[in-house]
């Protein structure tokens, strides 16, 4: 459960969070390898990577739940290695797995967390009722947590991490494995918290979630940070690239190869779901492509122009193919 927090120190100017050359090993496994980045006050900072990349280990070190082997983490001027409890007073922490009590009701869990955070009875009771209402859980307030659905459990876990209105919120995979409606509700809540002034550190392997929510993003792969930048800067190299997705009947890999031979000024790549991705630095004429495909035994089901995507940046920077990320989505509960 969360640690007790009462009136933390005021936030300072400059980077709110500074991570410098931090490493962490588990036996012979180097989970985090000398990573460095900063988080500014008032931003949503995305920490993006596949499962096993080191995201949860990093967030555990930042929140004092795991020791740092080497390097330093400073939050609002507080060294987390030497004074983790003091740093924790600034934080709300939402782990990737629920830490609430199954035998307590939703309302009782929130009130209990509020008491651990040093809130008086009236404040924690009012806060619990408000959050239950905001997250659509009012009707389940007096039901035991054990009987909640996965989406309801995730929302209540987030509510428990923000009941004391912390200035810094750590969210570890907040929408993994839950239904689409709950995921949208959580993303709306995250945006509203940020607009009210909360600094948010968000780990996720949902690329489009990071693109929607974050101003800056760090890509982490196999324990190392390979790029940190704003979403705008990450997307800039793709602004002049034109892309179209064509969905056909039959094998897209074979047709993509045939098209590449015929239209040498365009780039073709097979995509999941019988799709063919077409790229060019000039405007793509759909008509000749459709005619060629239909003349060679396939039917075009859909053709749509694509805007630049952070997924493309991720593939370019990390070398990890999109289908790997998509398989992880499916294993963890569906698409977002």
């Amino acid at each position: 459960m969360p640690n007790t927090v009462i009136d933390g120190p005021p936030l300072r100017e400059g980077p709110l969070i500074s991570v410098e050359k931090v490493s962490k090993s588990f036996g012979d496994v180097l989970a985090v390898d000398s990573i460095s980045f900063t988080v500014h006050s008032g931003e949503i900072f995305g920490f993006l990577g596949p499962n096993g990349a080191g995201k949860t280990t990093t967030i555990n070190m930042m929140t004092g739940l795991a020791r740092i082997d080497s390097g330093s983490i400073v939050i609002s001027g507080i060294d987390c290695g030497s004074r983790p409890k003091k740093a924790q007073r600034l934080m709300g922490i939402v782990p990737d797995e629920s830490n609430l009590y199954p035998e307590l009701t939703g309302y009782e869990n929130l009130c209990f967390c509020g008491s651990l955070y040093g809130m008086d009875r009236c404040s924690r009771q009012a806060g619990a009722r408000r959050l239950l209402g905001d997250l659509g859980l009012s009707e389940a307030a007096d039901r035991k947590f054990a009987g909640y659905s996965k989406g309801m459990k995730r929302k209540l876990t987030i509510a428990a991490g923000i009941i004391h209105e912390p200035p810094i919120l750590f969210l570890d995979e907040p929408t993994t494995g839950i239904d689409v409606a709950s995921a949208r509700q959580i993303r709306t809540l995250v945006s509203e918290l940020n607009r009210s002034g909360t600094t948010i550190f968000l780990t996720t392997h949902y690329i489009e979630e990071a693109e929607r929510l974050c101003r800056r993003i760090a890509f982490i792969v196999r324990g190392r940070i390979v790029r940190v930048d704003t979403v705008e800067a990450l997307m800039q190299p793709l602004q002049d690239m034109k892309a179209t997705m064509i969905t056909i009947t039959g094998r897209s890999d074979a047709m993509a190869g045939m098209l590449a031979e015929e239209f040498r000024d365009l780039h073709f790549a097979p995509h999941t779901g019988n799709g063919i991705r077409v790229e060019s630095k000039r405007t793509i004429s759909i008509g000749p492509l459709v005619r060629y495909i239909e003349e060679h035994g396939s039917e075009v089901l859909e053709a749509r122009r694509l805007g630049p995507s952070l997924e493309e940046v991720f593939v370019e920077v990390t070398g990890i193919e999109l289908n790997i990320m998509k398989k992880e989505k499916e294993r963890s509960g569906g698409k977002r």
Side-chain angles (χ1 to χ4, degrees), residues 161-214:
I162 63 175
I163 189 168
H164 59 304
E165 300 181 350
I168 306 169
L169 178 62
F170 290 90
L171 285 173
D172 194 3
E173 303 281 3
T175 62
T176 294
I178 64 174
D179 62 276
V180 173
S182 294
R184 287 174 179 164
Q185 199 168 17
I186 287 171
R187 285 194 291 266
T188 298
L189 175 64
V190 169
S191 296
E192 290 173 352
L193 287 168
N194 181 246
R195 281 194 293 270
S196 70
T198 305
T199 301
I200 297 172
F201 184 92
L202 170 72
T203 76
T204 182
H205 65 259
Y206 293 129
I207 296 176
E208 64 269 39
E209 182 165 83
E211 186 174 355
R212 291 176 191 176
L213 292 174
C214 303

Side-chain angles (χ1 to χ4, degrees), residues 89-117:
R89 294 174 184 171
L90 296 172
M91 304 174 188
I93 304 168
V94 181
D96 59 343
E97 296 289 341
S98 173
N99 56 356
L100 301 182
Y101 291 102
E103 68 273 18
L104 297 181
T105 67
Y107 175 73
E108 289 169 342
N109 264 297
L110 293 186
C111 288
F112 179 70
C113 289
S115 68
L116 293 179
Y117 284 124

